[in-house]
Amino acid sequence: AQTVTQSQPEMSVQEAETVTLSCTYDTSENNYYLFWYKQPPSRQMILVIRQEAYKQQNATENRFSVNFQKAAKSFSLKISDSQLGDTAMYFCAFMRGSGATNKLIFGTGTLLAVQP
Amino acid sequence: AAGVIQSPRHLIKEKRETATLKCYPIPRHDTVYWYQQGPGQDPQFLISFYEKMQSDKGSIPDRFSAQQFSDYHSELNMSSLELGDSALYFCASSHRDRDYEQYFGPGTRLTVT
């Protein structure tokens, strides 16, 4: 079975600074996807970034980037130039590759607070 | 762009009552997923449907049932409600050609008293 672990329950960062959220996962699959979802106080689930396991290049979306280490089964999220609107719960998630069940398996989340 | 629609957004029920949650996927999406997020917890997969057939099942209680209709909307039926069923219920949808992209609805907050 696949598992996703987020070892940082809470983190805090000053506005405009950079913060990194950690995530590790366990799987025997070779084809899979990894995601970071943001859940602000509104509770809406918002996709931040996606990484395909077969791609060596780390995904980047504006101020958000990942450090994907496949051998180490590590998938961290870096938020640059943090903004107050980044305050939210961040969930790391795993999905098996196409052809298999596509349910998302989430970690327990990291609550990020951006301080002014 | 159209998003996933869930109704109702809030629902208050008493123990042992029944509840029906509805999900309308993004147009042309053929797959629907249901997730349950308890207070302070991460979302947990309940069940999914592809082309109106159940495609996967997670930790869904026997008291819950779901189906996907011909117009691809889905309903989650919950009977004999318990206090522990109080949670945020998300529906997500995707298209088979891009099944790694799940779009979440705003959720239905169910409170059981």
Side-chain angles (χ1 to χ4, degrees), chain B residues 38-61:
Chain B
Q41 298 181 358
D42 54 288
Q44 295 288 319
F45 171 74
L46 291 178
I47 195 167
S48 61
F49 293 88
Y50 168 65
E51 283 289 346
K52 293 152 280 184
M53 298 289 288
Q54 181 181 307
S55 54
D56 196 8
K57 193 172 181 180
S59 304
I60 183 169

mmCIF file of all heavy atoms in Angstrom, chain B residues 38-61:
data_model
loop_
_atom_site.group_PDB
_atom_site.id
_atom_site.type_symbol
_atom_site.label_atom_id
_atom_site.label_comp_id
_atom_site.label_asym_id
_atom_site.label_seq_id
_atom_site.Cartn_x
_atom_site.Cartn_y
_atom_site.Cartn_z
ATOM 1 N N GLY B 38 -12.576 14.597 7.763
ATOM 2 C CA GLY B 38 -13.005 14.854 9.129
ATOM 3 C C GLY B 38 -12.276 16.049 9.703
ATOM 4 O O GLY B 38 -11.279 16.532 9.135
ATOM 5 N N PRO B 39 -12.743 16.580 10.822
ATOM 6 C CA PRO B 39 -12.122 17.758 11.443
ATOM 7 C C PRO B 39 -10.644 17.532 11.737
ATOM 8 O O PRO B 39 -10.274 16.558 12.389
ATOM 9 C CB PRO B 39 -12.928 17.928 12.736
ATOM 10 C CG PRO B 39 -14.222 17.232 12.468
ATOM 11 C CD PRO B 39 -13.905 16.090 11.558
ATOM 12 N N GLY B 40 -9.800 18.415 11.211
ATOM 13 C CA GLY B 40 -8.372 18.321 11.460
ATOM 14 C C GLY B 40 -7.689 17.156 10.777
ATOM 15 O O GLY B 40 -6.555 16.802 11.138
ATOM 16 N N GLN B 41 -8.345 16.556 9.810
ATOM 17 C CA GLN B 41 -7.771 15.386 9.140
ATOM 18 C C GLN B 41 -7.552 15.651 7.656
ATOM 19 O O GLN B 41 -7.985 16.664 7.117
ATOM 20 C CB GLN B 41 -8.690 14.180 9.324
ATOM 21 C CG GLN B 41 -8.878 13.761 10.768
ATOM 22 C CD GLN B 41 -9.778 12.551 10.893
ATOM 23 O OE1 GLN B 41 -10.298 12.028 9.908
ATOM 24 N NE2 GLN B 41 -9.965 12.088 12.110
ATOM 25 N N ASP B 42 -6.856 14.724 7.013
ATOM 26 C CA ASP B 42 -6.668 14.829 5.583
ATOM 27 C C ASP B 42 -7.853 14.152 4.888
ATOM 28 O O ASP B 42 -8.534 13.322 5.482
ATOM 29 C CB ASP B 42 -5.353 14.148 5.160
ATOM 30 C CG ASP B 42 -5.268 12.711 5.634
ATOM 31 O OD1 ASP B 42 -5.097 12.500 6.853
ATOM 32 O OD2 ASP B 42 -5.388 11.803 4.796
ATOM 33 N N PRO B 43 -8.104 14.501 3.645
ATOM 34 C CA PRO B 43 -9.204 13.859 2.908
ATOM 35 C C PRO B 43 -8.934 12.368 2.710
ATOM 36 O O PRO B 43 -7.816 11.959 2.397
ATOM 37 C CB PRO B 43 -9.207 14.601 1.570
ATOM 38 C CG PRO B 43 -8.497 15.891 1.836
ATOM 39 C CD PRO B 43 -7.467 15.570 2.872
ATOM 40 N N GLN B 44 -9.976 11.582 2.891
ATOM 41 C CA GLN B 44 -9.894 10.133 2.708
ATOM 42 C C GLN B 44 -10.811 9.725 1.565
ATOM 43 O O GLN B 44 -11.974 10.113 1.522
ATOM 44 C CB GLN B 44 -10.328 9.417 3.990
ATOM 45 C CG GLN B 44 -9.415 9.661 5.186
ATOM 46 C CD GLN B 44 -8.080 8.962 5.072
ATOM 47 O OE1 GLN B 44 -8.006 7.816 4.629
ATOM 48 N NE2 GLN B 44 -7.016 9.652 5.457
ATOM 49 N N PHE B 45 -10.287 8.921 0.670
ATOM 50 C CA PHE B 45 -11.047 8.466 -0.485
ATOM 51 C C PHE B 45 -12.174 7.534 -0.053
ATOM 52 O O PHE B 45 -11.963 6.616 0.748
ATOM 53 C CB PHE B 45 -10.113 7.741 -1.451
ATOM 54 C CG PHE B 45 -10.798 7.039 -2.584
ATOM 55 C CD1 PHE B 45 -11.327 7.761 -3.638
ATOM 56 C CD2 PHE B 45 -10.912 5.656 -2.590
ATOM 57 C CE1 PHE B 45 -11.949 7.111 -4.690
ATOM 58 C CE2 PHE B 45 -11.532 4.998 -3.630
ATOM 59 C CZ PHE B 45 -12.061 5.726 -4.694
ATOM 60 N N LEU B 46 -13.366 7.771 -0.601
ATOM 61 C CA LEU B 46 -14.510 6.915 -0.301
ATOM 62 C C LEU B 46 -14.826 5.973 -1.462
ATOM 63 O O LEU B 46 -14.871 4.751 -1.311
ATOM 64 C CB LEU B 46 -15.746 7.760 -0.003
ATOM 65 C CG LEU B 46 -15.742 8.564 1.302
ATOM 66 C CD1 LEU B 46 -17.022 9.388 1.415
ATOM 67 C CD2 LEU B 46 -15.583 7.657 2.511
ATOM 68 N N ILE B 47 -15.072 6.571 -2.634
ATOM 69 C CA ILE B 47 -15.536 5.763 -3.763
ATOM 70 C C ILE B 47 -15.387 6.567 -5.039
ATOM 71 O O ILE B 47 -15.340 7.803 -4.997
ATOM 72 C CB ILE B 47 -17.012 5.344 -3.538
ATOM 73 C CG1 ILE B 47 -17.430 4.210 -4.480
ATOM 74 C CG2 ILE B 47 -17.950 6.539 -3.645
ATOM 75 C CD1 ILE B 47 -18.759 3.552 -4.071
ATOM 76 N N SER B 48 -15.280 5.862 -6.175
ATOM 77 C CA SER B 48 -15.194 6.559 -7.461
ATOM 78 C C SER B 48 -16.017 5.815 -8.509
ATOM 79 O O SER B 48 -16.273 4.612 -8.382
ATOM 80 C CB SER B 48 -13.742 6.681 -7.924
ATOM 81 O OG SER B 48 -13.156 5.411 -8.105
ATOM 82 N N PHE B 49 -16.386 6.580 -9.536
ATOM 83 C CA PHE B 49 -17.182 6.048 -10.641
ATOM 84 C C PHE B 49 -16.591 6.506 -11.965
ATOM 85 O O PHE B 49 -16.176 7.667 -12.100
ATOM 86 C CB PHE B 49 -18.631 6.531 -10.541
ATOM 87 C CG PHE B 49 -19.364 5.977 -9.370
ATOM 88 C CD1 PHE B 49 -19.322 6.620 -8.143
ATOM 89 C CD2 PHE B 49 -20.092 4.812 -9.479
ATOM 90 C CE1 PHE B 49 -19.988 6.110 -7.047
ATOM 91 C CE2 PHE B 49 -20.767 4.290 -8.389
ATOM 92 C CZ PHE B 49 -20.711 4.936 -7.171
ATOM 93 N N TYR B 50 -16.564 5.577 -12.914
ATOM 94 C CA TYR B 50 -16.150 5.892 -14.268
ATOM 95 C C TYR B 50 -17.230 5.400 -15.207
ATOM 96 O O TYR B 50 -17.593 4.219 -15.164
ATOM 97 C CB TYR B 50 -14.808 5.240 -14.598
ATOM 98 C CG TYR B 50 -14.450 5.275 -16.062
ATOM 99 C CD1 TYR B 50 -14.211 6.492 -16.697
ATOM 100 C CD2 TYR B 50 -14.381 4.114 -16.813
ATOM 101 C CE1 TYR B 50 -13.906 6.541 -18.044
ATOM 102 C CE2 TYR B 50 -14.076 4.142 -18.150
ATOM 103 C CZ TYR B 50 -13.841 5.362 -18.771
ATOM 104 O OH TYR B 50 -13.547 5.398 -20.107
ATOM 105 N N GLU B 51 -17.735 6.289 -16.027
ATOM 106 C CA GLU B 51 -18.785 5.940 -16.983
ATOM 107 C C GLU B 51 -19.928 5.173 -16.296
ATOM 108 O O GLU B 51 -20.377 4.115 -16.770
ATOM 109 C CB GLU B 51 -18.211 5.106 -18.130
ATOM 110 C CG GLU B 51 -17.443 5.911 -19.149
ATOM 111 C CD GLU B 51 -18.354 6.802 -20.000
ATOM 112 O OE1 GLU B 51 -19.589 6.612 -19.978
ATOM 113 O OE2 GLU B 51 -17.833 7.699 -20.675
ATOM 114 N N LYS B 52 -20.337 5.694 -15.163
ATOM 115 C CA LYS B 52 -21.497 5.215 -14.421
ATOM 116 C C LYS B 52 -21.285 3.870 -13.720
ATOM 117 O O LYS B 52 -22.208 3.316 -13.143
ATOM 118 C CB LYS B 52 -22.732 5.137 -15.329
ATOM 119 C CG LYS B 52 -23.198 6.506 -15.789
ATOM 120 C CD LYS B 52 -23.887 6.451 -17.123
ATOM 121 C CE LYS B 52 -22.892 6.388 -18.264
ATOM 122 N NZ LYS B 52 -23.514 6.414 -19.598
ATOM 123 N N MET B 53 -20.060 3.374 -13.756
ATOM 124 C CA MET B 53 -19.752 2.123 -13.059
ATOM 125 C C MET B 53 -18.780 2.426 -11.917
ATOM 126 O O MET B 53 -17.868 3.241 -12.068
ATOM 127 C CB MET B 53 -19.119 1.116 -14.017
ATOM 128 C CG MET B 53 -20.005 0.705 -15.172
ATOM 129 S SD MET B 53 -21.361 -0.341 -14.636
ATOM 130 C CE MET B 53 -20.455 -1.846 -14.274
ATOM 131 N N GLN B 54 -18.967 1.739 -10.804
ATOM 132 C CA GLN B 54 -18.027 1.916 -9.694
ATOM 133 C C GLN B 54 -16.645 1.454 -10.122
ATOM 134 O O GLN B 54 -16.478 0.342 -10.627
ATOM 135 C CB GLN B 54 -18.505 1.109 -8.487
ATOM 136 C CG GLN B 54 -17.601 1.248 -7.275
ATOM 137 C CD GLN B 54 -18.101 0.405 -6.106
ATOM 138 O OE1 GLN B 54 -19.251 0.503 -5.704
ATOM 139 N NE2 GLN B 54 -17.233 -0.440 -5.578
ATOM 140 N N SER B 55 -15.652 2.291 -9.934
ATOM 141 C CA SER B 55 -14.309 1.949 -10.388
ATOM 142 C C SER B 55 -13.369 1.619 -9.224
ATOM 143 O O SER B 55 -12.394 0.890 -9.412
ATOM 144 C CB SER B 55 -13.710 3.082 -11.217
ATOM 145 O OG SER B 55 -13.741 4.307 -10.507
ATOM 146 N N ASP B 56 -13.647 2.152 -8.054
ATOM 147 C CA ASP B 56 -12.799 1.880 -6.909
ATOM 148 C C ASP B 56 -13.581 2.202 -5.640
ATOM 149 O O ASP B 56 -14.513 2.996 -5.658
ATOM 150 C CB ASP B 56 -11.511 2.701 -6.970
ATOM 151 C CG ASP B 56 -10.435 2.190 -6.029
ATOM 152 O OD1 ASP B 56 -10.607 1.111 -5.431
ATOM 153 O OD2 ASP B 56 -9.406 2.877 -5.891
ATOM 154 N N LYS B 57 -13.185 1.552 -4.567
ATOM 155 C CA LYS B 57 -13.872 1.733 -3.300
ATOM 156 C C LYS B 57 -12.843 1.822 -2.200
ATOM 157 O O LYS B 57 -11.905 1.018 -2.150
ATOM 158 C CB LYS B 57 -14.812 0.556 -3.060
ATOM 159 C CG LYS B 57 -15.816 0.739 -1.955
ATOM 160 C CD LYS B 57 -16.795 -0.437 -1.970
ATOM 161 C CE LYS B 57 -17.855 -0.293 -0.900
ATOM 162 N NZ LYS B 57 -18.809 -1.425 -0.915
ATOM 163 N N GLY B 58 -13.026 2.815 -1.328
ATOM 164 C CA GLY B 58 -12.121 2.972 -0.202
ATOM 165 C C GLY B 58 -12.810 2.607 1.088
ATOM 166 O O GLY B 58 -13.612 1.683 1.146
ATOM 167 N N SER B 59 -12.528 3.365 2.129
ATOM 168 C CA SER B 59 -13.095 3.067 3.451
ATOM 169 C C SER B 59 -14.490 3.656 3.591
ATOM 170 O O SER B 59 -14.749 4.502 4.455
ATOM 171 C CB SER B 59 -12.169 3.634 4.530
ATOM 172 O OG SER B 59 -10.863 3.121 4.391
ATOM 173 N N ILE B 60 -15.381 3.197 2.780
ATOM 174 C CA ILE B 60 -16.743 3.711 2.815
ATOM 175 C C ILE B 60 -17.610 2.778 3.641
ATOM 176 O O ILE B 60 -17.637 1.567 3.413
ATOM 177 C CB ILE B 60 -17.306 3.890 1.380
ATOM 178 C CG1 ILE B 60 -18.700 4.508 1.416
ATOM 179 C CG2 ILE B 60 -17.274 2.586 0.608
ATOM 180 C CD1 ILE B 60 -19.208 4.946 0.044
ATOM 181 N N PRO B 61 -18.296 3.318 4.652
ATOM 182 C CA PRO B 61 -19.146 2.471 5.496
ATOM 183 C C PRO B 61 -20.264 1.832 4.680
ATOM 184 O O PRO B 61 -20.712 2.378 3.669
ATOM 185 C CB PRO B 61 -19.711 3.456 6.533
ATOM 186 C CG PRO B 61 -18.820 4.642 6.491
ATOM 187 C CD PRO B 61 -18.304 4.725 5.097
#
